[in-house]
Amino acid sequence: MQNIEHFRPTKAIINLDAIKNNVSNLKKHLHPGVQIMAVVKANAYGHGDVEVASAAIESGATMLAVATPEEAIRLRKSFPDIDILILGYAPGAFAPFAANENITLTVYSTDWVQQVEALSFSKPLKLHIKIDTGMGRIGVTQIEDLQKLYNMITSSEKFLVDGVFTHFATADEEEETYFHHQVAKFEEFIRSLPEKPRLVHAANTATMLIKDPTLQYDAVRFGISMYGLAPSAYVNTKLPFPIEPAFSLETELIEVKKVQAGQSIGYGAAFTASEPSYIGTIPIGYADGLIRKYSGQHVLIDGIRVPIIGRICMDQCMLLLPAAYNIGKKVTLIGKQKDEEITIDEWAEKGDTINYEVPCIITSRVPRIYYKK
Ligand code: PMH
């Protein structure tokens, strides 16, 4: 686990066994033949794209999904044979490159197809048509537009319709009406196609785990719970199997000092000691993704909860210690120590956000160190 290139003690530890267990457990809940598309966009939700993809593939994922051309190209270098789908926008100019690299693109606009048709290709370009059934993001919204797009693609030898998909806006919520409206629209659109493409897919984590397992179609797009996090508090109460978080965040005390009552700490002198206190400094700050909103959040030392005090600086922040710990003492920001655990969900609540955002915004300055048995 020790990597001599990383001198600063601040590290994200990624447990690849947890990723593998989460994918294996999911697989047991899939109908025979349903493929797992591991959603590894945004550097695998901040966990590390290549390593997470490897672990997911070892456990049964047969496809990778990303958001951008750059993410796809990076993964293609490590995985020459696996299907890679870009779920988001790819500019037309990328299409010949995608075809050459066997990267599948998402399509939703006839203008885009027209522009791309004019380019020359070494191989056919694989496409998945995106249907917007209610997310309001990208995708065709009218059956006539779907048919026009489908006909345009299938009448050109440059393209191959490999899939069709949609994305649900409320799969992680208790509400049913909007969700079922989206499902009905998707099925109506699929029925309108002269031929079913190889891969129909719609389910994200929440859909397949709790909302409606019958919506697995040909593939499921497994994201947040592959990382051991529940898509929402509502889903968390209904999970069909326990999930194991993969992301921990650790550092060490780099300074410990005793201050007197009345002494202030940090920018704006925002914290003032009310009694003689030990203050610890840790080398992690907002440039690492520890945004200032996290001031007051607890971290763990010796299994004891200790608060971050004052304003978080760019590269450092300060803790109110219960004792005069030694420099070099391990500090766990996310993860377990003894019987205590600080979860990503706790950080999300403190930051008024969702768990997805917490590891995503831990910046590349924090090395990801991979752990597996
Ligand atoms: N499919 C698409 C098209 C997505 O955008 C996402 C996640 C997933 C599947 C995976 O969802 P899951 O992690 O809930 O399983 N996309 C996003 C997003 O754009 N913002 O937050 C999550």
Side-chain angles (χ1 to χ4, degrees):
M1 231 159 77
Q2 197 61 20
N3 187 332
I4 53 158
E5 281 168 37
H6 303 305
F7 294 102
R8 192 168 75 137
T10 303
K11 304 173 194 104
I13 313 292
I14 311 301
N15 180 350
L16 295 175
D17 292 332
I19 305 268
K20 285 192 205 167
N21 291 340
N22 295 331
V23 175
S24 303
N25 278 327
L26 164 79
K27 206 170 168 215
K28 293 179 201 149
H29 285 74
L30 294 182
H31 304 143
V34 174
Q35 299 204 41
I36 300 174
M37 201 184 292
V39 182
V40 291
K41 59 187 180 147
N43 195 29
Y45 295 28
H47 292 60
D49 54 1
V50 172
E51 293 78 3
V52 167
S54 274
I57 292 165
E58 271 179 53
S59 307
T62 50
M63 303 175 69
L64 302 175
V66 294
T68 71
E70 289 74 10
E71 291 173 352
I73 292 166
R74 235 182 84 78
L75 286 163
R76 178 53 80 225
K77 292 195 176 111
S78 299
F79 305 99
D81 299 321
I82 196 146
D83 276 340
I84 300 177
L85 169 65
I86 300 181
L87 297 166
Y89 167 73
F94 178 67
F97 193 87
N100 203 40
E101 295 288 325
N102 190 28
I103 291 168
T104 308
L105 301 186
T106 291
V107 62
Y108 48 89
S109 140
T110 47
D111 286 351
W112 185 92
V113 175
Q114 250 163 6
Q115 183 208 335
V116 168
E117 236 278 313
L119 306 173
S120 44
F121 287 82
S122 59
K123 298 175 200 161
L125 174 68
K126 282 204 278 181
L127 295 170
H128 283 210
I129 300 174
K130 180 76 185 275
I131 300 172
D132 177 9
T133 53
M135 183 71 185
R137 198 163 60 171
I138 55 172
V140 293
T141 53
Q142 305 297 322
I143 281 206
E144 307 77 63
D145 293 341
L146 171 66
Q147 286 169 342
K148 205 170 149 202
L149 188 62
Y150 183 87
N151 291 338
M152 211 180 215
I153 298 169
T154 48
S155 63
S156 166
E157 287 188 350
K158 291 182 177 169
F159 305 122
L160 194 136
V161 184
D162 184 50
V164 57
F165 73 109
T166 194
H167 191 54
F168 297 120
T170 61
D172 61 352
E173 292 172 23
E174 198 165 355
E175 87 80 44
E176 298 277 341
T177 314
Y178 199 84
F179 180 81
H180 289 302
H181 176 77
Q182 283 200 263
V183 174
K185 184 166 177 185
F186 186 54
E187 301 211 325
E188 185 193 352
F189 275 49
I190 301 288
R191 277 196 304 272
S192 80
L193 293 175
E195 213 179 313
K196 182 187 100 56
R198 184 178 71 101
L199 292 170
V200 174
H201 52 108
N204 58 355
T205 299
T207 306
M208 72 183 110
L209 291 188
I210 62 124
K211 206 69 177 178
D212 189 346
T214 65
L215 297 174
Q216 294 173 3
Y217 298 105
D218 302 305
V220 295
R221 302 190 302 269
F222 197 38
I224 194 72
S225 294
M226 178 168 69
Y227 305 99
L229 304 171
S232 66
Y234 169 67
V235 175
N236 204 15
T237 61
K238 294 181 168 290
L239 286 173
F241 55 85
I243 50 175
E244 216 180 306
F247 190 99
S248 323
L249 185 61
E250 295 177 355
T251 189
E252 290 174 3
L253 288 173
I254 53 159
E255 167 81 312
V256 175
K257 51 172 56 93
K258 187 164 188 192
V259 300
Q260 299 308 316
Q263 191 169 332
S264 295
I265 303 295
Y267 283 117
F271 172 87
T272 303
S274 56
E275 56 187 347
S277 310
Y278 291 103
I279 303 296
T281 302
I282 51 174
I284 180 165
Y286 64 74
D288 298 295
L290 206 77
I291 51 172
R292 284 168 42 138
K293 203 160 193 175
Y294 290 141
S295 180
Q297 170 61 43
H298 288 162
V299 301
L300 296 175
I301 304 180
D302 267 352
I304 298 169
R305 285 177 165 262
V306 173
I308 298 173
I309 47 143
R311 290 190 190 149
I312 293 173
C313 310
M314 188 183 292
D315 321 298
Q316 304 171 71
C317 63
M318 282 68 88
L319 308 174
L320 180 61
L321 302 177
Y325 289 117
N326 291 333
I327 289 175
K329 185 86 181 162
K330 181 171 165 178
V331 177
T332 298
L333 293 101
I334 295 169
K336 284 184 191 156
Q337 272 193 12
K338 297 187 176 165
D339 294 334
E340 268 292 355
E341 180 173 9
I342 293 182
T343 61
I344 286 188
D345 287 329
E346 184 179 332
W347 280 83
E349 207 176 316
K350 181 75 192 164
D352 279 333
T353 184
I354 51 169
N355 53 15
Y356 292 70
E357 199 174 87
V358 176
C360 276
I361 67 160
I362 300 297
T363 64
S364 59
R365 195 166 80 172
V366 178
R368 272 60 173 174
I369 311 292
Y370 299 93
Y371 167 84
K372 61 180 170 185
K373 285 220 176 77

